[in-house]
Amino acid sequence: AKSAGGNRYQFFSKGLNQKAQERASIETALRDALRNDRLTLHYQPQLHLGEGRVIALEALARWHDEGLGTVPPATFIPIAEQTGLIHELGASVLRKACVQCKKWHDKGYPVIISVNVSIKQMMQEGFSEMVVGTLLEVGLEPRYLDLELTESMLMEKAAESVALLRMFKSLGVQISIDDFGTGYSSLSYLKNFSVDRIKIDQSFVRDITVRDDAVGIVKAIVAIGHSMGLKVIAEGVETQEEEQKLLTCRCDQVQGYLYAKPMPSAEVDAYLADAFVT
Ligand code: C2E
Ligand code: CA
Ligand code: CA
Ligand code: CA
């Protein structure tokens, strides 16, 4: 028993050690990628449910490293947050996304750009100045920028966020609460935040065709959102059946593989040319 325990411990510690090494090599490579501007963005359309009109595009960070291969954001974003690289990464993503959005405007597609923001990034001194500075430099009106903040992160920093969100509201920058329903906020608490939109998490969308109680939950989220003057978008929509259920729930907007996957900007150009044809 003693030796088995010893083995188990060794196995466990080796596992942890490997993880730490992997993280360290990702950190080094990410630092290098940022220095050499090797992160790119893909964009996924957000549409009006029913009319099918394109409202916005969500910018999603992409990273392909020579040695590590393609590293998913679910891996490198948390590492960026823990190492402080998120500030540089976030500023770079914001700038790229705004520049791209301005190009679409110049081509005659008046879309909104949705940018994911880590709460760590938002809480850093000078964040709002960075956002305003970027908008001014790029020449993008604030109302065409939407910042997506996850519910769970927002709730962790609830007290500190209120004033900042209010400030963005006064500037005209839009705010969406991402992954809504997965955190622990009470819906009534939303009133304290100056937000424009809630994004119902994919897990609910997945459930609505499977479980009747999930339809009830989504209906309730939409109804309360509307009563507070918010738009409601469902993410991760993959099937026609899910779309039908979302229509009965009176959801406003949709995003997911059913409509389009995240695409590089050149593909989005073609997509928008098609979508905005008159
Ligand atoms: P998220 O903001 O919740 O983004 C939605 C994720 O779902 C994206 O994964 C997207 O590619 C994926 N997705 C879209 N439609 C569908 C669908 O129909 N079905 C399924 N199964 N998935 C769908 P992705 O691009 O891997 O991003 C993962 C997460 O990484 C994002 O989740 C976001 O939290 C974070 N992230 C990505 N880019 C950035 C960034 O620039 N900054 C920050 N702070 N976080 C980012
Ligand atoms: Ca998002
Ligand atoms: Ca989400
Ligand atoms: Ca998510």
Side-chain angles (χ1 to χ4, degrees), residues 7-20:
N7 285 339
R8 197 155 47 231
Y9 175 72
Q10 259 202 330
F11 174 75
F12 190 54
S13 68
K14 189 179 166 206
L16 276 181
N17 193 29
Q18 268 177 352
K19 262 211 171 122

Side-chain angles (χ1 to χ4, degrees), residues 97-117:
C98 288
V99 166
Q100 185 56 66
C101 186
K102 181 73 169 73
K103 285 185 187 164
W104 287 325
H105 286 193
D106 292 344
K107 289 181 179 172
Y109 317 131
V111 289
I112 291 169
I113 188 78
S114 281
V115 178
N116 291 286
V117 172

Side-chain angles (χ1 to χ4, degrees), residues 1 32 81 92-93 137 154 171 197-198 213 256 259 267 272:
D32 190 57
E81 282 170 351
S92 162
V93 165
E137 276 171 53
L154 199 56
L171 287 172
R197 189 171 71 156
I198 48 187
D213 58 337
Y259 311 98
E267 266 177 59
L272 290 176

